[in-house]
Amino acid sequence: QLDLSRIRRNYKIGMPKRIDRGKPTGSLAYGLVKKYEIVGKDYSGNDQLQIKYVWDEQKANIVKRIIDDYLSGKGTWSISLNLNLEGIPSSQGKKWSRTAILVVIKNPIYGGLIRYGWKPVKNGKRKIQPRENWMIRKAEFPGIITKDKYESIQKEISRRKTIGGRASNSGGLLIGLIKCGYCGYSMFQINTKSVFKNGRKYVYKGYACGTFLQRGACQHNSKKQDYINGVILK
């Protein structure tokens, strides 16, 4: 118990100092890589190593794409669906979800900032604190977007919360309201375009079960948007 108390005390004392030096805490953000570089020799002739944080160029471009898509008006569901269709894995090597997209666009590290104390443990549970309670410092490494662009993302997130999430950027009026009859999960808008052999274009707009689209569970019980709208109007 004394050892645990000492570890907790050292963590509380040392972590703010680490933040002041601009070093990241906890697990690294998506795209951030820790490398070691030789900075000299010690008295025994062994190499002295220094930790350096750099961005993985390929993953950094994916983050930029996510941010640009979000600011252009796309929702988190649409962004995650497109990434999954292209076979781009998330930070955990799994499919992208709406939560994973929000984790990326809310993280100030992409704007060259380090945060601490934003999600402390209280009564055995982690709870996100108001932003004014965070400890934010400039990172020792450059961000992949500007600080102003990061702030514009946070304003857009707040704006969408006040006007209704996915429905604010969707042509489907029932997004967030219509539920799957099998699992009870929300149904999302799907748009499919194809061209038949005779050259005729086919466009399908409708609603489909989010559990099926996101995790492959439940059933693909899609319904045309015009049909659903007609049922509601009648």
Side-chain angles (χ1 to χ4, degrees):
Q1 188 65 35
L2 289 173
D3 286 340
L4 290 175
S5 298
R6 178 176 54 82
I7 291 172
R8 293 191 186 101
R9 183 178 65 252
N10 291 342
Y11 182 86
K12 289 182 179 180
I13 295 174
M15 198 56 67
K17 294 181 180 179
R18 179 179 175 86
I19 297 297
D20 285 334
R21 295 197 299 269
K23 296 183 179 296
T25 62
S27 57
L28 297 181
Y30 177 78
L32 191 62
V33 181
K34 179 170 65 175
K35 291 187 176 182
Y36 296 88
E37 61 178 9
I38 300 174
V39 294
K41 301 283 186 179
D42 59 15
Y43 64 91
S44 300
N46 298 320
D47 292 336
Q48 287 184 324
L49 301 178
Q50 183 179 16
I51 297 176
K52 184 179 181 181
Y53 297 95
V54 296
W55 292 104
D56 179 282
E57 185 176 355
Q58 184 177 5
K59 292 183 177 179
N61 289 332
I62 294 173
V63 172
K64 292 178 182 178
R65 168 185 167 178
I66 291 173
I67 292 172
D68 290 339
D69 285 349
Y70 189 80
L71 290 177
S72 68
K74 290 185 178 180
T76 53
W77 169 255
S78 175
I79 296 172
S80 62
L81 185 62
N82 290 334
L83 291 173
N84 292 332
L85 289 174
E86 296 178 26
I88 300 174
S90 65
S91 58
Q92 298 179 347
K94 302 178 181 179
K95 288 187 175 181
W96 287 90
S97 63
R98 289 169 295 163
T99 302
I101 299 297
L102 285 172
V103 168
V104 169
I105 62 179
K106 286 183 177 181
N107 199 334
I109 201 168
Y110 299 111
L113 302 171
I114 302 291
R115 64 182 174 183
Y116 177 66
W118 66 285
K119 198 176 182 182
V121 178
K122 290 187 177 181
N123 299 324
K125 296 182 179 180
R126 290 192 174 274
K127 185 176 181 181
I128 298 177
Q129 300 298 305
R131 196 175 168 199
E132 55 268 19
N133 295 339
W134 296 2
M135 180 180 179
I136 299 181
R137 298 289 185 272
K138 185 178 180 180
E140 66 173 9
F141 49 86
I144 60 177
I145 60 173
T146 63
K147 182 180 176 181
D148 291 339
K149 193 168 187 178
Y150 168 75
E151 295 296 340
S152 64
I153 297 170
Q154 308 317 302
K155 291 179 181 178
E156 178 63 13
I157 293 174
S158 298
R159 185 188 72 84
R160 295 192 188 187
K161 282 183 180 179
T162 60
I163 60 176
R166 295 185 305 276
S168 62
N169 299 294
S170 173
L173 298 178
L174 301 177
I175 293 296
L177 297 176
I178 186 171
K179 306 294 181 181
C180 173
Y182 295 102
C183 66
Y185 196 74
S186 296
M187 298 185 74
F188 299 94
Q189 190 180 35
I190 56 174
N191 296 295
T192 303
K193 296 181 180 180
S194 59
V195 179
F196 294 121
K197 290 183 179 180
N198 59 7
R200 187 169 66 88
K201 295 181 178 180
Y202 174 77
V203 178
Y204 178 89
K205 289 186 177 182
Y207 298 97
C209 175
T211 304
F212 178 85
L213 294 174
Q214 189 170 0
R215 298 193 294 269
C218 196
Q219 301 183 33
H220 186 55
N221 56 338
S222 65
K223 296 293 182 182
K224 282 190 175 182
Q225 184 171 330
D226 291 340
Y227 171 78
I228 298 294
N229 292 343
V231 171
I232 297 297
L233 291 175
K234 291 178 182 178

